[in-house]
PDB file of all heavy atoms in Angstrom:
ATOM      1  N   SER T   1       0.775  -1.224   0.048  1.00 88.00           N
ATOM      2  CA  SER T   1       0.036  -0.004  -0.008  1.00 88.00           C
ATOM      3  C   SER T   1       0.874   1.181  -0.010  1.00 88.00           C
ATOM      4  O   SER T   1       0.518   2.241  -0.690  1.00 88.00           O
ATOM      5  CB  SER T   1      -0.927  -0.024   1.180  1.00 88.00           C
ATOM      6  OG  SER T   1      -1.924  -0.984   1.089  1.00 88.00           O
ATOM      7  N   THR T   2       2.024   1.195   0.698  1.00 92.00           N
ATOM      8  CA  THR T   2       2.919   2.330   0.722  1.00 92.00           C
ATOM      9  C   THR T   2       3.450   2.578  -0.618  1.00 92.00           C
ATOM     10  O   THR T   2       3.574   3.685  -1.178  1.00 92.00           O
ATOM     11  CB  THR T   2       4.060   2.153   1.718  1.00 92.00           C
ATOM     12  OG1 THR T   2       3.604   2.001   2.991  1.00 92.00           O
ATOM     13  CG2 THR T   2       5.090   3.291   1.628  1.00 92.00           C
ATOM     14  N   LEU T   3       3.679   1.444  -1.388  1.00 93.00           N
ATOM     15  CA  LEU T   3       4.223   1.483  -2.752  1.00 93.00           C
ATOM     16  C   LEU T   3       3.204   2.147  -3.590  1.00 93.00           C
ATOM     17  O   LEU T   3       3.482   3.006  -4.462  1.00 93.00           O
ATOM     18  CB  LEU T   3       4.621   0.119  -3.207  1.00 93.00           C
ATOM     19  CG  LEU T   3       5.164  -0.048  -4.579  1.00 93.00           C
ATOM     20  CD1 LEU T   3       6.442   0.770  -4.655  1.00 93.00           C
ATOM     21  CD2 LEU T   3       5.534  -1.545  -4.774  1.00 93.00           C
ATOM     22  N   MET T   4       1.935   1.816  -3.517  1.00 92.00           N
ATOM     23  CA  MET T   4       0.865   2.358  -4.332  1.00 92.00           C
ATOM     24  C   MET T   4       0.658   3.769  -4.074  1.00 92.00           C
ATOM     25  O   MET T   4       0.583   4.671  -4.995  1.00 92.00           O
ATOM     26  CB  MET T   4      -0.514   1.650  -4.077  1.00 92.00           C
ATOM     27  CG  MET T   4      -1.506   2.061  -5.100  1.00 92.00           C
ATOM     28  SD  MET T   4      -3.167   1.750  -4.707  1.00 92.00           S
ATOM     29  CE  MET T   4      -3.652   3.114  -3.554  1.00 92.00           C
ATOM     30  N   HIS T   5       0.797   4.221  -2.798  1.00 92.00           N
ATOM     31  CA  HIS T   5       0.742   5.710  -2.419  1.00 92.00           C
ATOM     32  C   HIS T   5       1.810   6.549  -3.030  1.00 92.00           C
ATOM     33  O   HIS T   5       1.642   7.573  -3.603  1.00 92.00           O
ATOM     34  CB  HIS T   5       0.723   5.881  -0.944  1.00 92.00           C
ATOM     35  CG  HIS T   5      -0.503   5.371  -0.294  1.00 92.00           C
ATOM     36  ND1 HIS T   5      -0.541   5.292   1.101  1.00 92.00           N
ATOM     37  CD2 HIS T   5      -1.654   5.100  -0.738  1.00 92.00           C
ATOM     38  CE1 HIS T   5      -1.859   4.807   1.413  1.00 92.00           C
ATOM     39  NE2 HIS T   5      -2.527   4.745   0.291  1.00 92.00           N
ATOM     40  N   ILE T   6       3.027   5.916  -3.230  1.00 94.00           N
ATOM     41  CA  ILE T   6       4.081   6.596  -3.901  1.00 94.00           C
ATOM     42  C   ILE T   6       3.894   6.684  -5.362  1.00 94.00           C
ATOM     43  O   ILE T   6       4.089   7.737  -6.003  1.00 94.00           O
ATOM     44  CB  ILE T   6       5.449   6.010  -3.454  1.00 94.00           C
ATOM     45  CG1 ILE T   6       5.767   6.309  -1.987  1.00 94.00           C
ATOM     46  CG2 ILE T   6       6.567   6.429  -4.418  1.00 94.00           C
ATOM     47  CD1 ILE T   6       6.986   5.719  -1.510  1.00 94.00           C
ATOM     48  N   ILE T   7       3.448   5.540  -5.906  1.00 95.00           N
ATOM     49  CA  ILE T   7       3.223   5.472  -7.419  1.00 95.00           C
ATOM     50  C   ILE T   7       2.081   6.512  -7.816  1.00 95.00           C
ATOM     51  O   ILE T   7       2.207   7.180  -8.733  1.00 95.00           O
ATOM     52  CB  ILE T   7       2.673   4.083  -7.882  1.00 95.00           C
ATOM     53  CG1 ILE T   7       3.899   3.142  -7.738  1.00 95.00           C
ATOM     54  CG2 ILE T   7       2.251   4.098  -9.241  1.00 95.00           C
ATOM     55  CD1 ILE T   7       3.520   1.669  -7.905  1.00 95.00           C
ATOM     56  N   GLY T   8       1.122   6.622  -6.927  1.00 93.00           N
ATOM     57  CA  GLY T   8       0.011   7.579  -7.182  1.00 93.00           C
ATOM     58  C   GLY T   8       0.218   9.038  -6.683  1.00 93.00           C
ATOM     59  O   GLY T   8      -0.627   9.865  -6.768  1.00 93.00           O
ATOM     60  N   CYS T   9       1.504   9.268  -6.288  1.00 93.00           N
ATOM     61  CA  CYS T   9       1.821  10.666  -5.724  1.00 93.00           C
ATOM     62  C   CYS T   9       0.978  11.143  -4.625  1.00 93.00           C
ATOM     63  O   CYS T   9       0.805  12.266  -4.398  1.00 93.00           O
ATOM     64  CB  CYS T   9       1.725  11.618  -6.870  1.00 93.00           C
ATOM     65  SG  CYS T   9       2.892  11.410  -8.279  1.00 93.00           S
ATOM     66  N   LEU T  10       0.438  10.193  -3.781  1.00 91.00           N
ATOM     67  CA  LEU T  10      -0.211  10.474  -2.581  1.00 91.00           C
ATOM     68  C   LEU T  10       0.837  10.618  -1.418  1.00 91.00           C
ATOM     69  O   LEU T  10       0.542  11.170  -0.400  1.00 91.00           O
ATOM     70  CB  LEU T  10      -1.195   9.413  -2.166  1.00 91.00           C
ATOM     71  CG  LEU T  10      -2.376   9.249  -3.051  1.00 91.00           C
ATOM     72  CD1 LEU T  10      -3.152   8.009  -2.743  1.00 91.00           C
ATOM     73  CD2 LEU T  10      -3.269  10.478  -3.004  1.00 91.00           C
ATOM     74  N   ASP T  11       2.061  10.160  -1.710  1.00 91.00           N
ATOM     75  CA  ASP T  11       3.160  10.171  -0.631  1.00 91.00           C
ATOM     76  C   ASP T  11       4.509  10.408  -1.442  1.00 91.00           C
ATOM     77  O   ASP T  11       4.602   9.997  -2.577  1.00 91.00           O
ATOM     78  CB  ASP T  11       3.159   9.052   0.265  1.00 91.00           C
ATOM     79  CG  ASP T  11       3.841   9.294   1.596  1.00 91.00           C
ATOM     80  OD1 ASP T  11       4.398  10.316   1.768  1.00 91.00           O
ATOM     81  OD2 ASP T  11       3.774   8.303   2.436  1.00 91.00           O
ATOM     82  N   LYS T  12       5.428  10.738  -0.694  1.00 92.00           N
ATOM     83  CA  LYS T  12       6.786  11.020  -1.300  1.00 92.00           C
ATOM     84  C   LYS T  12       7.831  10.031  -0.644  1.00 92.00           C
ATOM     85  O   LYS T  12       7.638   9.645   0.536  1.00 92.00           O
ATOM     86  CB  LYS T  12       7.344  12.435  -1.078  1.00 92.00           C
ATOM     87  CG  LYS T  12       6.480  13.439  -1.880  1.00 92.00           C
ATOM     88  CD  LYS T  12       7.134  14.833  -1.843  1.00 92.00           C
ATOM     89  CE  LYS T  12       6.771  15.508  -0.456  1.00 92.00           C
ATOM     90  NZ  LYS T  12       7.208  16.904  -0.507  1.00 92.00           N
ATOM     91  N   PRO T  13       8.696   9.442  -1.464  1.00 94.00           N
ATOM     92  CA  PRO T  13       9.642   8.513  -0.937  1.00 94.00           C
ATOM     93  C   PRO T  13      10.714   9.279   0.018  1.00 94.00           C
ATOM     94  O   PRO T  13      10.974  10.465  -0.170  1.00 94.00           O
ATOM     95  CB  PRO T  13      10.445   7.995  -2.177  1.00 94.00           C
ATOM     96  CG  PRO T  13      10.304   9.015  -3.218  1.00 94.00           C
ATOM     97  CD  PRO T  13       8.962   9.763  -2.922  1.00 94.00           C
ATOM     98  N   SER T  14      11.263   8.570   0.934  1.00 94.00           N
ATOM     99  CA  SER T  14      12.409   9.132   1.773  1.00 94.00           C
ATOM    100  C   SER T  14      13.597   9.204   1.023  1.00 94.00           C
ATOM    101  O   SER T  14      14.428  10.051   1.244  1.00 94.00           O
ATOM    102  CB  SER T  14      12.593   8.164   3.015  1.00 94.00           C
ATOM    103  OG  SER T  14      11.414   8.070   3.795  1.00 94.00           O
ATOM    104  N   SER T  15      13.873   8.352   0.050  1.00 95.00           N
ATOM    105  CA  SER T  15      14.998   8.428  -0.862  1.00 95.00           C
ATOM    106  C   SER T  15      14.760   7.591  -2.095  1.00 95.00           C
ATOM    107  O   SER T  15      13.802   6.832  -2.213  1.00 95.00           O
ATOM    108  CB  SER T  15      16.249   7.832  -0.152  1.00 95.00           C
ATOM    109  OG  SER T  15      16.106   6.394   0.085  1.00 95.00           O
ATOM    110  N   GLY T  16      15.466   7.847  -3.130  1.00 96.00           N
ATOM    111  CA  GLY T  16      15.325   7.219  -4.454  1.00 96.00           C
ATOM    112  C   GLY T  16      14.758   8.155  -5.371  1.00 96.00           C
ATOM    113  O   GLY T  16      14.383   9.272  -5.191  1.00 96.00           O
ATOM    114  N   GLU T  17      14.649   7.605  -6.675  1.00 96.00           N
ATOM    115  CA  GLU T  17      14.163   8.441  -7.807  1.00 96.00           C
ATOM    116  C   GLU T  17      12.849   7.898  -8.318  1.00 96.00           C
ATOM    117  O   GLU T  17      12.767   6.586  -8.625  1.00 96.00           O
ATOM    118  CB  GLU T  17      15.220   8.585  -8.873  1.00 96.00           C
ATOM    119  CG  GLU T  17      14.839   9.250 -10.110  1.00 96.00           C
ATOM    120  CD  GLU T  17      15.901   9.294 -11.260  1.00 96.00           C
ATOM    121  OE1 GLU T  17      16.298   8.140 -11.561  1.00 96.00           O
ATOM    122  OE2 GLU T  17      16.268  10.349 -11.736  1.00 96.00           O
ATOM    123  N   TYR T  18      11.846   8.665  -8.570  1.00 96.00           N
ATOM    124  CA  TYR T  18      10.530   8.163  -9.143  1.00 96.00           C
ATOM    125  C   TYR T  18      10.333   9.076 -10.347  1.00 96.00           C
ATOM    126  O   TYR T  18      10.040  10.281 -10.286  1.00 96.00           O
ATOM    127  CB  TYR T  18       9.504   8.353  -8.158  1.00 96.00           C
ATOM    128  CG  TYR T  18       8.077   7.904  -8.705  1.00 96.00           C
ATOM    129  CD1 TYR T  18       7.938   7.052  -9.771  1.00 96.00           C
ATOM    130  CD2 TYR T  18       6.875   8.423  -8.202  1.00 96.00           C
ATOM    131  CE1 TYR T  18       6.725   6.675 -10.267  1.00 96.00           C
ATOM    132  CE2 TYR T  18       5.595   8.100  -8.659  1.00 96.00           C
ATOM    133  CZ  TYR T  18       5.637   7.118  -9.788  1.00 96.00           C
ATOM    134  OH  TYR T  18       4.378   6.831 -10.255  1.00 96.00           O
ATOM    135  N   ILE T  19      10.274   8.405 -11.482  1.00 95.00           N
ATOM    136  CA  ILE T  19      10.036   9.119 -12.754  1.00 95.00           C
ATOM    137  C   ILE T  19       8.578   8.622 -13.216  1.00 95.00           C
ATOM    138  O   ILE T  19       8.419   7.503 -13.547  1.00 95.00           O
ATOM    139  CB  ILE T  19      11.088   8.821 -13.894  1.00 95.00           C
ATOM    140  CG1 ILE T  19      12.388   9.222 -13.337  1.00 95.00           C
ATOM    141  CG2 ILE T  19      10.736   9.538 -15.123  1.00 95.00           C
ATOM    142  CD1 ILE T  19      13.629   8.819 -14.250  1.00 95.00           C
ATOM    143  N   LEU T  20       7.699   9.643 -13.416  1.00 95.00           N
ATOM    144  CA  LEU T  20       6.350   9.388 -13.814  1.00 95.00           C
ATOM    145  C   LEU T  20       6.057  10.130 -15.122  1.00 95.00           C
ATOM    146  O   LEU T  20       6.078  11.355 -15.195  1.00 95.00           O
ATOM    147  CB  LEU T  20       5.341   9.807 -12.700  1.00 95.00           C
ATOM    148  CG  LEU T  20       3.842   9.606 -13.023  1.00 95.00           C
ATOM    149  CD1 LEU T  20       3.493   8.178 -13.186  1.00 95.00           C
ATOM    150  CD2 LEU T  20       3.071  10.180 -11.842  1.00 95.00           C
ATOM    151  N   GLY T  21       5.717   9.299 -16.109  1.00 92.00           N
ATOM    152  CA  GLY T  21       5.459   9.957 -17.436  1.00 92.00           C
ATOM    153  C   GLY T  21       6.634  10.761 -17.939  1.00 92.00           C
ATOM    154  O   GLY T  21       6.465  11.844 -18.582  1.00 92.00           O
ATOM    155  N   GLY T  22       7.879  10.458 -17.598  1.00 91.00           N
ATOM    156  CA  GLY T  22       8.951  11.179 -18.047  1.00 91.00           C
ATOM    157  C   GLY T  22       9.552  12.255 -17.149  1.00 91.00           C
ATOM    158  O   GLY T  22      10.492  12.898 -17.369  1.00 91.00           O
ATOM    159  N   LYS T  23       8.724  12.471 -15.943  1.00 90.00           N
ATOM    160  CA  LYS T  23       9.061  13.576 -15.048  1.00 90.00           C
ATOM    161  C   LYS T  23       9.498  12.985 -13.798  1.00 90.00           C
ATOM    162  O   LYS T  23       8.792  12.169 -13.216  1.00 90.00           O
ATOM    163  CB  LYS T  23       7.925  14.514 -14.940  1.00 90.00           C
ATOM    164  CG  LYS T  23       8.105  15.626 -13.877  1.00 90.00           C
ATOM    165  CD  LYS T  23       6.749  16.451 -13.806  1.00 90.00           C
ATOM    166  CE  LYS T  23       6.870  17.456 -12.602  1.00 90.00           C
ATOM    167  NZ  LYS T  23       7.881  18.471 -12.908  1.00 90.00           N
ATOM    168  N   ALA T  24      10.729  13.535 -13.294  1.00 93.00           N
ATOM    169  CA  ALA T  24      11.111  13.031 -11.879  1.00 93.00           C
ATOM    170  C   ALA T  24      10.180  13.813 -10.909  1.00 93.00           C
ATOM    171  O   ALA T  24      10.258  15.011 -10.902  1.00 93.00           O
ATOM    172  CB  ALA T  24      12.469  13.403 -11.681  1.00 93.00           C
TER     173      ALA T  24
END
């Protein structure tokens, strides 16, 4: 569920890179 919240931009990761639709 934490993973889904990050994928959906409901939460932010503590570290790492998330690129969604070509945008970090």
Side-chain angles (χ1 to χ4, degrees):
S1 291
T2 299
L3 186 54
M4 192 197 78
H5 288 166
I6 289 174
I7 292 172
C9 296
L10 293 170
D11 201 355
K12 292 187 280 190
S14 300
S15 63
E17 181 184 49
Y18 178 26
I19 300 173
L20 177 61
K23 175 182 173 64

